[in-house]
Amino acid sequence: MQAQAFNHWGRRLFAVFTLALALLAQPALAKEQFRIAWVLYPGFMPLDYAQRSGILDKWAQQYGIDIEVVQVNDYIEAVNQYSAGEFDICLMATMDALTIPAASGVDSTVLNIVDYSNGNDAIILKHGQTLADIRGQRVNIVQFSISHYFLARALESVGLSERELTLVNTSDADMVSLYGQPSVSAMVTWNPMVSDILRRDDAHLVFDSRQMPGELTDAIVAHTATLEQNPALGKALIGAWFETLAVMRRDDEQGRQARETMGIAAGTDRAGYEQQLAATHLFYSAQEAVDFISDPQLAKTMARIAEFSFDKGLLGNAAPSAGAVGMAFTDGSVYGDPGNVKLRFDDRFLRMAVDGELRSTP
């Protein structure tokens, strides 16, 4: 476990070093072209549709910028590439925003919490019908990610600990194919992989994120300096995001077509994607997103995540406490070291959307 944590931290240091070289090689000027990384996940599919439908291009052109959307096959690789400066924005879990870019010294801003998992994340067993049956098993999981936190919180609920398991670090891209191997007996993963795995007769769902609502949050995360120098990026992205959600929520042909397009892109169909959406608490309106990101409960959840991360060595081997990496919230409060704030929750673009200050041409 310690060796794996060290290797994980080493990859982050390399990402920061790469970013530093890139920054030194470029003048600090406002940009006009931006790159966004994302991976398959129900709450992230609206970004793909925004690109395919032309909604994102419309908003980008209105603000005089260009936005390239890139799907990355492996989730942790996407976050690492963002941390290394290869992307300006990345869609990721808020925990991973803390433990990878922020903990590596990459100042990042959450400009929108898009959803929380409400059944998308799951613990699946081949042998056993309850979570307690996981004791003594090998568990395939994306170690040190939000799934790891999810597993730890689930184990607490039945009086178990990680010491009673053997964790096997596994790429999210390999989960579905690996489940069919005889050596695999337990798995922690998320949709759309969960839906594929649960089609098997030997897959038993024993715990999912419906039992911890509001904790596993996903966000649009940007390099703070990029966002400050280029507020048009935040405006265009938030405008396009909520226009897309308004379309996909409609109960008409256009809405059904949007959900079908997202389902096909996610490797399923409209019915399959709608099933995944039922396990995703998407914030369909900017007001809902503002209410969540400004709720004091978010700071409490992130403090719990910071404590877990510190315990796992994810804040750096030299981190003296869970507050080593400061987090700033929308009310001006700071958790942790105020002199080392590297993760910021910012609702200004969301509030612009609420107030009708964002503009888009037809």
Side-chain angles (χ1 to χ4, degrees):
M1 177 75 75
Q2 291 178 343
Q4 289 170 323
F6 177 79
N7 290 336
H8 194 70
W9 181 246
R11 290 196 296 272
R12 294 180 190 153
L13 289 177
F14 176 75
V16 174
F17 178 72
T18 304
L19 175 60
L21 289 179
L23 292 175
L24 288 173
Q26 297 179 358
L29 298 175
K31 296 171 58 175
E32 294 182 351
Q33 297 183 322
F34 304 92
R35 303 180 77 225
I36 302 178
W38 73 288
V39 297
L40 289 178
Y41 179 70
F44 297 165
M45 298 310 300
L47 177 65
D48 181 64
Y49 181 79
Q51 179 194 36
R52 292 173 185 269
S53 66
I55 292 175
L56 184 60
D57 282 345
K58 178 185 68 173
W59 279 87
Q61 290 171 13
Q62 177 66 24
Y63 281 100
I65 61 175
D66 180 71
I67 300 175
E68 179 187 4
V69 177
V70 180
Q71 181 185 343
V72 181
N73 186 50
D74 180 271
Y75 172 66
I76 293 298
E77 181 60 24
V79 181
N80 283 337
Q81 287 185 35
Y82 161 83
S83 302
E86 295 181 36
F87 291 96
D88 301 287
I89 285 180
C90 183
L91 275 61
M92 67 182 82
T94 51
M95 172 183 161
D96 299 322
L98 172 66
T99 63
I100 302 180
S104 303
V106 178
D107 197 320
S108 295
T109 293
V110 172
L111 66 153
N112 184 20
I113 293 182
V114 300
D115 69 59
Y116 65 76
S117 177
N118 198 33
N120 270 320
D121 292 78
I123 301 173
I124 302 170
L125 303 183
K126 272 184 184 174
H127 313 294
Q129 300 293 327
T130 70
L131 179 58
D133 296 327
I134 200 172
R135 186 198 304 267
Q137 296 200 40
R138 289 169 56 86
V139 181
N140 290 79
I141 187 173
V142 180
Q143 263 185 300
F144 309 117
S145 72
I146 190 69
S147 283
H148 200 150
Y149 172 79
F150 167 61
L151 174 63
R153 293 279 285 141
L155 293 175
E156 286 177 9
S157 71
V158 291
L160 295 177
S161 72
E162 289 179 48
R163 293 188 297 273
E164 298 171 88
L165 313 174
T166 300
L167 302 188
V168 181
N169 192 31
T170 307
S171 168
D172 55 296
D174 298 329
M175 291 291 188
V176 176
S177 60
L178 283 175
Y179 195 85
Q181 297 186 6
S183 61
V184 173
S185 64
M187 188 167 282
V188 182
T189 188
W190 57 80
N191 269 320
M193 290 78 75
V194 167
S195 295
D196 289 338
I197 294 168
L198 289 179
R199 293 192 182 100
R200 297 176 54 98
D201 292 336
D202 59 355
H204 308 292
L205 175 68
V206 297
F207 192 93
D208 68 30
S209 52
R210 288 175 295 181
Q211 293 159 265
M212 44 189 298
E215 286 198 47
L216 309 185
T217 55
D218 302 295
I220 301 174
V221 180
H223 289 284
T224 299
T226 300
L227 198 60
E228 292 302 319
Q229 294 165 11
N230 306 274
L233 174 60
K235 295 174 183 178
L237 190 55
I238 293 300
W241 181 264
F242 286 106
E243 180 176 334
T244 301
L245 263 61
V247 170
M248 67 179 285
R249 196 180 192 184
R250 290 168 57 168
D251 188 24
D252 59 14
E253 183 58 32
Q254 186 178 8
R256 289 188 287 273
Q257 182 60 49
R259 295 191 296 276
E260 181 175 357
T261 300
M262 294 183 206
I264 292 171
T268 181
D269 53 20
R270 177 164 63 88
Y273 182 58
E274 288 174 345
Q275 183 179 15
Q276 293 172 19
L277 280 178
T280 309
H281 188 100
L282 270 173
F283 298 114
Y284 282 100
S285 74
Q287 185 62 63
E288 288 180 281
V290 166
D291 292 343
F292 189 88
I293 200 172
S294 60
D295 190 327
Q297 182 59 45
L298 176 63
K300 296 176 182 178
T301 298
M302 291 306 300
R304 184 185 297 121
I305 286 173
E307 290 164 4
F308 168 84
S309 302
F310 174 67
D311 181 62
K312 297 300 177 187
L314 303 181
L315 300 181
N317 294 330
S321 69
V325 180
M327 293 184 284
F329 297 93
T330 59
D331 62 358
S333 65
V334 173
Y335 171 85
D337 185 354
N340 188 42
V341 173
K342 296 299 180 184
L343 185 61
R344 308 166 194 273
F345 293 83
D346 188 343
D347 63 356
R348 65 182 141 155
F349 300 108
L350 293 172
R351 291 189 181 278
M352 291 179 71
V354 170
D355 296 337
E357 296 176 8
L358 301 181
R359 63 186 190 276
S360 172
T361 54

